Amino acid sequence: MAVDRADGRTPNQRRPVACTRGILHRAHGSASWAQGDTKVIAAVYGPKAGTRKNENPEKACIEVIWKPKTGQSGKPEREYEMVLKKTLQSICLLNVHPNTTTSIVIQVVNDDGALLPCAINAACAALVDAGIPLKHLAVAICCCMAEGGHILLDPSKIEEQKVKAFVYLVFPNSMVSVLPQGSLRLGGELMEHGIITSVTHGMMAVDDYFSCLKLGRAAAAELSDLLRSSLKLKAGNDPSKAG
Amino acid sequence: MDQRQANSLIMTVNEKKFIESALLSDIRVDGRRPFDYRNLTIRFGSEDGSSEVQLGHTQVIGFVSAQLIQPYRDRPTEGTFAIYIEFSPMADPSFEAGRPGETAVELGQIVDRGLRESRAIDTESLCVVAGKLVWSIRIDLHIIDNGGNLVDAANIAALAALSTFRRPECTFGGEDGQEVIVNPPDLWEPLPLIIHHLPVAVTFGFIGKENNVVIDPTHYEEAVMGGSMTATLNTNGDICAIQKAGGDGVLQSVIMQCLRIASVKAGDITSKIKNAVEAYNTQRSLRKIKRHDPLPDEQGSIDVAKYHMERLTLGSDVSTAGHSNMEIGSQSNERDETNKKNTTAKGFSGRPASWDPYSRGVDGDALKASLASRVTAPPDKHIKSSRQVKADVAKSSQRSSDTNSFQEAKKIGLQTDESKTLKDAVKPRQKRRINKSTSNSAAT
């Protein structure tokens, strides 16, 4: 069924993505990620010496600081920091640099819906820019359940406020490997079908959630191809930025 | 504590001596002469009142927002404004999240003093109901990259954001006519702030014992300098503020020379800010031109929709890498411009064209002839807010919009529509007052 979205997109169409790496000069790694009008800048400093007090010193520690566009940091910012920290902890190789801290600072430039997925994508690109060892990339997308029961991909802020429920999904990026096909599966399922993070707002039926997962997975696969080609674009030698 | 000291910039003696001895030959480490500014780039975000300033390696973003509050008791007819500076941890490894340090507070004070005491922003025009409701302007500045000379960059970001900010229009309504209604920006054109002049900050660093002066110090020079002075001036020749907090003693003659140089630099920076703001306003007004199918039955989509649609149709994903500037704002604007050149009737519609005189289309050749004969727009024209255009009209209007002057469009207290150039470009006889209530009733 043809659904009229306010900006004319089809239900399965995401907004155009603009990704720029290496925008800051002091930070060890930086990236800016814009999905439509939502824009986030991420900067990475690390690995720095020492871990925070209660963290395990045998592993690297990830610290996330979320700066909102205006106003003080409050409870929503704490939640975003926690989700981002847990997501990034699962993609970083924490044993490579034990007893170190990697700080990721997120600055919201504009919020037009799907803010957390945009931030996760920006943070991932910034980690790559900084050269932090990662297992794989994280690709984040947002799906929402509109009034009529259909699923929309990558809602804008107006759409997010109107829908019954929406979910932020983070998947690993699609694998390109020289290994035989079977080793990419884990318990019979493809590794890239695994969900790293899922945060829902509002109430949705179980079947709807599974349809969101399916749509999200397909969108994430497409987005991960874009991410891979964009990360390969970095041309030339980069002078060392540490210190 | 140890962590912070480990993160701050430690200058070796060699680096210090190198900077000082290079200055004796009037050369600076990045190749500039002592009184040269770094490259200044001013960009704007998609919303009104958001700016991104890049001064060499220093980057600052500014946001302006407004809300209605009760005024101070001793100033019942004046609005207020406040500046919040955030030294983001991404700018420098020694910046910590949380409470602002003393440099952040000092920076905030310098920018605030330059704007407040010189009365650059007209606060009386921010009053809605005397004694009860006034607009409170909030300026948020985020330092995201510390390449030195944060004061100047933050000041320029604040000025640029204030110049492009639009506040919503307020009207009285309700049962007794006393209730204040804040009109949403897509129905009533929001108003710009009244800014009397632009106070520009120029910072000097004093390095070494021989009174070597450098303008716009980088963060290496800041670590080496013995003292600094910031002079805030405007192009009218007024000194709005001078800040020299401690540091090495400097001869009077040197101070006077610095002030003379500062006034020249302030003129340069002011013209750069004004050019950037004008370019932004041109693009903003082009965005506001509604274009729709010649089908009067279909109901309206909003301005935002049209804008998104145009960006999406060219919507190829953009990936760039390297030490590139933040391209997004300018790229999307470029996409808009090219899109306007190429677009014909798209599959969506704007407001019904029932009161549009050109609902049957426009004769392109006659328009081009009339455009060639027109030079500038008469200043007291009121314009309608939406009309139907063809692609070639859009092209020729773009050319004419570059030559048309925009200053007369900014009228205090009146609702002027931003799509002035197109209207002027078309035909002079269609003078109509902007009366939104009648236009809305005609449209529904």
Side-chain angles (χ1 to χ4, degrees), chain A:
Chain A
M1 67 191 103
V3 180
D4 274 333
R5 294 178 82 166
D7 47 12
R9 290 184 281 155
T10 66
N12 293 349
Q13 187 182 3
R14 58 169 176 81
R15 293 171 287 184
V17 164
C19 164
T20 315
R21 281 190 304 131
I23 48 177
L24 302 179
H25 299 91
R26 297 298 298 277
H28 296 156
S30 56
S32 119
W33 188 279
Q35 271 171 228
D37 268 339
T38 304
K39 183 171 169 189
V40 173
I41 298 177
V44 170
Y45 280 99
K48 297 187 286 192
T51 51
R52 298 277 215 80
K53 265 177 114 176
N54 297 323
E55 303 273 352
N56 184 0
E58 305 206 3
K59 293 196 167 165
C61 165
I62 308 272
E63 176 191 36
V64 178
I65 300 167
W66 181 289
K67 290 276 177 197
K69 180 173 164 181
T70 60
Q72 296 279 9
S73 290
K75 294 279 163 48
E77 282 73 37
R78 297 284 150 265
E79 191 204 336
Y80 287 146
E81 285 177 7
M82 186 212 64
V83 172
L84 208 61
K85 174 176 163 153
K86 297 244 164 82
T87 305
L88 296 175
Q89 258 176 349
S90 72
I91 67 168
C92 290
L93 284 164
L94 297 175
N95 298 315
V96 181
H97 298 297
N99 203 19
T100 60
T101 305
T102 301
S103 305
I104 295 136
V105 186
I106 304 279
Q107 172 70 55
V108 176
V109 178
N110 196 21
D111 179 9
D112 189 32
L115 183 61
L116 187 57
C118 199
I120 293 174
N121 291 331
C124 202
L127 284 171
V128 171
D129 194 45
I132 306 289
L134 303 174
K135 291 179 209 162
H136 49 75
L137 299 173
V139 181
I141 200 81
C142 175
C143 300
C144 65
M145 290 291 311
E147 300 297 321
H150 32 257
I151 304 176
L152 302 177
L153 186 67
D154 199 12
S156 62
K157 197 163 189 75
I158 312 168
E159 289 172 339
E160 246 182 25
Q161 283 162 351
K162 283 199 302 205
V163 295
K164 306 191 296 183
F166 59 89
V167 55
Y168 298 135
L169 293 165
V170 184
F171 295 96
N173 67 332
S174 49
M175 304 284 164
V176 171
S177 173
V178 295
L179 297 175
Q181 201 58 324
S183 62
L184 291 179
R185 289 177 179 265
L186 209 62
E189 282 201 45
L190 280 172
M191 250 217 56
E192 60 213 37
H193 285 185
I195 310 169
I196 300 178
T197 300
S198 157
V199 180
T200 61
H201 291 257
M203 198 169 72
M204 56 168 79
V206 176
D207 290 332
D208 292 335
Y209 180 69
F210 284 134
S211 336
C212 281
L213 282 186
K214 230 167 51 174
L215 178 61
R217 227 183 281 144
E222 192 251 319
L223 198 56
S224 79
D225 290 333
L226 165 73
L227 192 56
R228 175 171 277 125
S229 58
S230 121
L231 294 178
K232 274 195 196 152
L233 263 183
K234 185 103 184 188
N237 299 320
D238 207 23
S240 167
K241 284 189 272 197

Side-chain angles (χ1 to χ4, degrees), chain B residues 285 377-379 383 405-406 408-409 417-425:
Chain B
S285 69
I383 320 109
S405 54
F406 269 84
E408 50 257 29
D417 193 284
E418 294 303 314
S419 51
K420 172 187 189 215
T421 50
L422 184 59
K423 179 55 193 153
D424 298 330

Side-chain angles (χ1 to χ4, degrees), chain B residues 28-46:
Chain B
R28 292 163 78 171
V29 178
D30 51 0
R32 287 185 282 157
R33 287 169 316 170
F35 294 112
D36 280 346
Y37 249 85
R38 289 173 288 183
N39 277 334
L40 175 63
T41 321
I42 304 173
R43 266 189 227 94
F44 298 97
S46 50

Side-chain angles (χ1 to χ4, degrees), chain B residues 75-328:
Chain B
R75 278 163 219 253
T77 54
E78 284 185 17
T80 63
F81 69 91
I83 302 190
Y84 295 88
I85 302 237
E86 284 262 10
F87 273 31
S88 172
M90 66 167 66
D92 198 298
S94 61
F95 291 169
E96 286 194 345
R99 290 191 55 206
E102 46 181 43
T103 11
V105 172
E106 192 193 351
L107 205 160
Q109 293 287 72
I110 297 177
V111 178
D112 188 272
R113 220 168 339 129
L115 284 170
R116 194 182 300 275
E117 289 171 19
S118 61
R119 289 188 237 282
I121 306 176
D122 185 88
T123 46
E124 299 254 342
S125 62
L126 297 175
C127 177
V128 179
V129 179
K132 293 216 190 97
L133 273 185
V134 296
W135 283 108
S136 165
I137 306 288
R138 183 193 165 111
I139 307 165
D140 283 280
L141 299 169
H142 297 280
I143 316 278
I144 54 177
D145 208 0
N146 180 13
N149 198 8
L150 298 172
V151 181
D152 292 8
N155 201 336
I156 298 172
L159 294 173
L162 284 167
S163 306
T164 56
F165 174 67
R166 304 284 158 111
R167 62 172 175 87
E169 173 90 34
C170 280
T171 45
F172 289 102
E175 296 103 26
D176 54 351
Q178 290 300 316
E179 195 187 302
V180 175
I181 307 173
V182 179
N183 298 300
D186 42 343
L187 290 178
W188 289 69
E189 180 70 17
L191 304 171
L193 294 174
I194 297 175
I195 300 176
H196 296 300
H197 61 92
L198 294 176
V200 172
V202 178
T203 301
F204 298 88
F206 306 114
I207 299 183
K209 299 282 188 275
E210 291 86 13
N211 274 318
N212 288 319
V213 187
V214 293
I215 206 175
D216 187 21
T218 62
H219 75 282
Y220 288 114
E221 287 166 345
E222 278 182 351
V224 166
M225 67 188 181
S228 80
M229 178 179 84
T230 302
T232 307
L233 341 117
N234 62 20
T235 45
N236 301 336
D238 301 323
I239 295 183
C240 305
I242 298 185
Q243 171 102 347
K244 184 193 185 304
D248 285 348
V250 175
L251 297 172
Q252 276 185 3
S253 53
V254 174
I255 300 273
M256 292 312 294
Q257 184 200 15
C258 287
L259 290 178
R260 273 191 289 269
I261 294 171
S263 63
V264 174
K265 297 295 175 188
D268 287 338
I269 295 176
T270 309
S271 60
K272 280 198 184 129
I273 298 178
K274 288 205 167 133
N275 290 341
V277 170
E278 249 190 60
Y280 171 79
N281 284 333
T282 317
Q283 289 183 339
R284 186 178 180 276
S285 69
L286 286 174
R287 274 205 316 253
K288 285 230 164 259
I289 295 173
K290 291 191 203 295
R291 236 173 259 116
H292 47 140
D293 271 349
L295 298 169
D297 309 320
E298 293 181 6
Q299 274 309 309
S301 54
I302 53 179
D303 209 15
V304 178
K306 173 195 71 65
Y307 176 50
H308 272 287
M309 184 59 183
E310 287 167 341
R311 289 174 63 197
L312 282 174
T313 45
L314 279 190
S316 50
D317 299 319
V318 177
S319 309
T320 49
H323 285 276
S324 52
N325 301 330
M326 283 182 265
E327 294 281 339
I328 314 302

